[in-house]
């Protein structure tokens, strides 16, 4: 048997008077996760704890007494922290800089014990008992992810994540749906959804856009972030010259304010990346490996290296909650390779943000071109089995296509199969190729 996993985002109709219960539930859930992360990262002193059972044995009673959460939500908070700690340990073993996981993004993980899922509503466990919320369904759901997966009896609900959108003051359930397929059917020659893997590439930048995805999304304004940081530094410099105790305290307060602002910006960027991945039904997100980034990017300061690593960490643990894998790939030649014909030469990149292939004359935004190459590198790993042990029957690999002009406008191709490739590996797509 094989499993088809899909994640569907659906808005919840939450009564105004019950909003605070969900916010308190989130606060206590994150308290469980952060308490566990602090304990697992620092105790004992010579290594990090990565065993969920060990963490639950040590912390469950304490956290259950300290919160109003049900047993299952406490366990979910502990397990989220341990998963993040495991990822941190892996990076440490690779010689990468990382830090203790910290959770402040609005999210709560629910499974079938903490929530009862229905086709038109959900019953959620909160700090004040159960809360039933109807789904806000579109008038015509047919053909949408909600119609194909959420309302489809062939799919069953699995672990799902509740999130809150501050801009609209709305709650959304990211429902993870599963369908089990017969292996004999998968091997009949048809390309099943079980084999389908879709890659979103992400290129990180010191200036211009902080991140550009292979779907043509330009995320956050790195220039604006750099400007804000220079303003902070300028003000700090003036205060340091004063040398008074009052100035010293003001500098500390400013540092805290700057750090909170940066974390908020990076969380917003990671949420946008995750939205792109979910909107395009991606199973993987590819980032360039950040090792040696200051040597590769002369303009990258210690701040940029920190910001890029933190953005990756935020995207990684958020993606884990919705079943999306995040991976690093080598950045070698991603800025010089033509994502259309493959011709690689340093003269292809005419300027900081302009790419023109000297062989096929393919012209597009340089950062967008790099993001597609980053996605293709992970695609090759998936095809060769370096990052996945799953196999699959022979099938066509249809790559989605589109173009991005120098103004940042993405246009999808009329014929999405124009760039189709045949492969004897599971179907894998580079989104936005």
């Amino acid at each position: 048997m094989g499993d088809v996993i899909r994640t569907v985002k659906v808005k919840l109709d939450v009564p105004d008077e019950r909003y605070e219960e969900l916010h308190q539930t989130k606060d206590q859930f994150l308290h469980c996760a952060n308490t566990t992360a602090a304990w697992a990262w620092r105790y004992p002193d010579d290594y990090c704890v990565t065993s969920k059972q060990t963490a639950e044995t040590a912390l469950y009673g304490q956290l259950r007494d300290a919160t109003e959460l049900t047993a299952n939500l406490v366990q979910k908070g502990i397990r989220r922290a341990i998963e993040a700690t495991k990822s941190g340990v892996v990076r440490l073993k690779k010689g990468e800089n990382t830090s203790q996981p910290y959770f402040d993004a609005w999210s709560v993980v629910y499974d079938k014990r903490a929530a009862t899922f229905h086709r038109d509503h959900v019953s959620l466990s909160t700090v004040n008992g159960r809360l039933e919320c109807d789904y806000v369904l579109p008038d015509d759901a047919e053909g949408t992810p909600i119609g194909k997966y959420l309302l489809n009896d062939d799919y069953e609900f699995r672990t799902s994540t509740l999130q809150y959108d501050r801009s609209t003051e709305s709650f959304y359930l990211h429902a993870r749906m599963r369908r089990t397929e017969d292996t004999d059917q998968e091997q009949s020659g048809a390309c099943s959804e079980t084999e389908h893997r879709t890659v979103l590439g992400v290129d990180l930048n010191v200036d211009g856009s902080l991140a550009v995805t292979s779907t043509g999304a330009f995320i956050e304004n790195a220039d604006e972030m750099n400007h804000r940081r220079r303003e902070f530094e300028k003000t700090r410099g003036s205060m340091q010259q004063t040398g008074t105790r009052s100035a010293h305290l003001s500098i500390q307060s400013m540092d805290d304010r700057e750090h909170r602002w940066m974390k908020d910006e990076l969380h917003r960027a990671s949420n946008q990346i995750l939205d792109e991945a979910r909107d395009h039904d991606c199973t993987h997100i590819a980032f360039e490996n950040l090792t040696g980034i200051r040597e590769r990017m002369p303009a990258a300061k210690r701040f940029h290296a920190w910001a890029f690593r933190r953005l990756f960490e935020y995207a990684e643990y958020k993606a884990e909650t919705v079943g999306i894998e995040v991976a690093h790939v080598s950045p070698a030649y991603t800025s010089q390779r033509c994502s259309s014909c493959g011709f690689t030469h340093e003269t292809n990149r005419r300027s900081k943000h302009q790419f023109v292939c000297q062989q096929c004359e393919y012209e597009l935004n340089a950062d967008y071109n790099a993001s597609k190459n980053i996605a293709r590198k992970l695609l090759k790993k998936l095809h060769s089995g370096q990052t996945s042990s799953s196999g699959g029957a022979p099938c066509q690999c249809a790559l989605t296509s589109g173009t991005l002009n120098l103004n940042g406008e993405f246009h999808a191709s009329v014929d999405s199969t124009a760039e189709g490739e045949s492969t004897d590996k599971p179907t894998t797509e580079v989104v936005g190729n």
Side-chain angles (χ1 to χ4, degrees):
M1 305 294 285
D3 289 341
V4 179
I5 303 295
R6 291 291 180 266
T7 301
V8 182
K9 178 181 178 180
V10 60
K11 184 177 180 180
L12 300 183
D13 184 8
V14 180
D16 292 345
E17 64 273 14
R18 305 292 298 272
Y19 269 44
E20 186 58 29
E21 294 175 24
L22 291 180
H23 287 305
Q24 290 180 17
T25 301
K26 178 269 300 184
D27 289 341
Q28 295 188 21
F29 180 81
L30 295 187
H31 170 74
C32 291
N34 286 319
T35 300
T36 303
W39 176 87
W41 198 258
R42 299 172 182 170
Y43 175 83
D45 293 335
D46 58 344
Y47 71 96
C48 298
V49 177
T50 57
S51 166
K52 295 176 184 177
Q53 183 175 357
T54 300
E56 288 185 16
T57 300
L59 299 175
Y60 172 78
Q62 166 193 335
L63 293 174
R64 188 75 197 277
D65 292 340
T67 66
E68 301 168 283
L69 300 177
T70 60
N72 182 255
L73 286 179
V74 171
Q75 292 171 337
K76 285 294 182 185
I78 293 174
R79 293 173 185 178
R80 167 180 278 192
I82 294 300
E83 286 298 327
T85 301
K86 284 182 181 179
S87 297
V89 169
V90 171
R91 288 194 290 274
L92 287 174
K93 290 181 178 179
K94 293 180 178 179
E96 300 178 13
N97 292 326
T98 188
S99 58
Q100 173 190 316
Y102 183 76
F103 306 90
D104 56 5
W106 209 115
S107 65
V108 182
V109 179
Y110 284 93
D111 65 10
K112 291 184 178 180
R113 289 180 292 173
T116 304
F117 301 101
H118 303 276
R119 297 297 168 182
D120 59 350
H121 72 283
V122 64
S123 174
L124 301 172
S125 174
T126 74
V127 295
N128 188 31
R130 286 274 176 162
L131 170 60
E132 290 198 359
C133 306
D134 290 336
Y135 301 140
V136 180
L137 302 175
D139 293 334
D140 185 10
E142 186 177 356
T144 69
I146 288 178
K148 290 192 291 185
Y149 311 122
L150 187 77
L151 304 180
N152 188 343
D153 290 335
D154 291 338
Y155 284 82
E156 64 172 337
F157 288 87
R158 307 299 295 169
T159 298
S160 301
T161 304
L162 179 68
Q163 294 187 347
Y164 179 71
D165 187 335
R166 292 182 179 85
S167 63
T168 61
E169 298 184 346
S170 301
F171 292 93
Y172 291 88
L173 185 71
H174 296 272
R176 201 162 185 235
M177 315 297 297
R178 182 180 73 176
R179 186 183 74 198
T180 300
E181 289 191 343
D182 193 314
T183 303
D184 292 338
Q185 179 183 352
E186 294 177 14
Q187 296 178 348
S188 64
C191 183
S192 74
E193 289 183 89
T194 303
E195 302 164 327
H196 186 92
R197 285 170 287 173
T198 305
V199 179
L200 179 76
V202 181
D203 178 57
L204 302 177
N205 303 284
V206 172
D207 49 28
S209 295
L210 176 66
V212 179
T213 72
S214 55
T215 53
F218 286 68
I219 295 172
E220 290 301 316
N221 190 330
D223 289 335
E224 174 62 22
M225 294 173 69
N226 291 331
H227 172 72
R228 289 280 304 268
R229 276 191 55 81
R230 285 193 293 269
E231 291 298 313
F232 275 116
E233 290 173 357
K234 183 178 179 181
T235 305
R236 260 196 302 268
S238 298
M239 290 182 176
Q240 286 172 344
Q241 291 181 355
T242 303
T244 63
R245 174 171 173 77
S246 176
H248 177 70
L249 293 175
S250 296
I251 290 173
Q252 287 185 323
S253 176
M254 180 179 297
D255 288 344
D256 291 339
R257 188 166 68 252
E258 180 185 12
H259 186 66
R260 289 194 301 270
W261 166 73
M262 271 303 307
K263 286 177 63 177
D264 186 61
E265 292 296 309
L266 293 174
H267 272 302
R268 184 162 28 249
S270 64
N271 288 337
Q272 288 179 269
I273 291 172
L274 206 59
D275 285 343
E276 283 295 305
R278 283 194 296 251
D279 290 346
H280 293 84
D281 206 16
C282 294
T283 58
H284 296 74
I285 301 175
F287 283 83
E288 57 186 305
N289 194 313
L290 300 176
T291 303
I293 191 169
R294 295 180 67 186
E295 290 73 27
R296 290 188 284 107
M297 292 184 176
K301 300 178 181 179
R302 184 180 299 275
F303 153 69
H304 295 109
W306 171 86
F308 291 159
R309 288 191 176 92
R310 187 55 62 91
L311 177 60
F312 175 85
E313 291 170 0
Y314 287 166
E316 184 179 40
Y317 84 72
K318 291 175 184 179
E320 186 271 334
T321 66
V322 294
I324 297 175
E325 294 184 31
V326 178
H328 276 132
V329 299
S330 168
Y333 305 110
T334 54
S335 64
Q336 299 178 12
R337 180 188 185 277
C338 176
S339 59
S340 178
C341 73
F343 177 70
T344 303
H345 198 278
E346 60 183 8
T347 59
N348 283 345
R349 189 158 188 167
R350 288 192 174 179
S351 64
K352 190 176 295 183
H353 299 299
Q354 184 183 30
F355 184 96
V356 181
C357 180
Q358 302 304 296
Q359 179 166 287
C360 72
E361 300 184 349
Y362 185 45
E363 182 175 350
L364 73 168
N365 180 279
D367 302 323
Y368 173 61
N369 178 75
S371 70
K372 295 201 293 180
N373 287 327
I374 289 170
R376 281 184 177 273
K377 285 202 171 190
L378 182 56
L379 178 150
K380 289 182 178 179
K381 285 188 176 183
L382 292 172
H383 277 179
S384 64
Q386 293 179 32
T387 61
S388 175
S389 60
S390 61
C395 59
Q396 291 293 112
C397 178
L399 306 181
T400 52
S401 62
T403 60
L404 187 78
N405 62 28
L406 296 180
N407 294 323
E409 298 172 341
F410 179 74
H411 300 282
S413 170
V414 175
D415 183 6
S416 62
T417 63
E419 294 181 357
E421 298 178 354
S422 63
T423 174
D424 57 357
K425 295 292 183 179
T427 300
T428 311
E429 292 181 350
V430 175
V431 175
N433 190 58

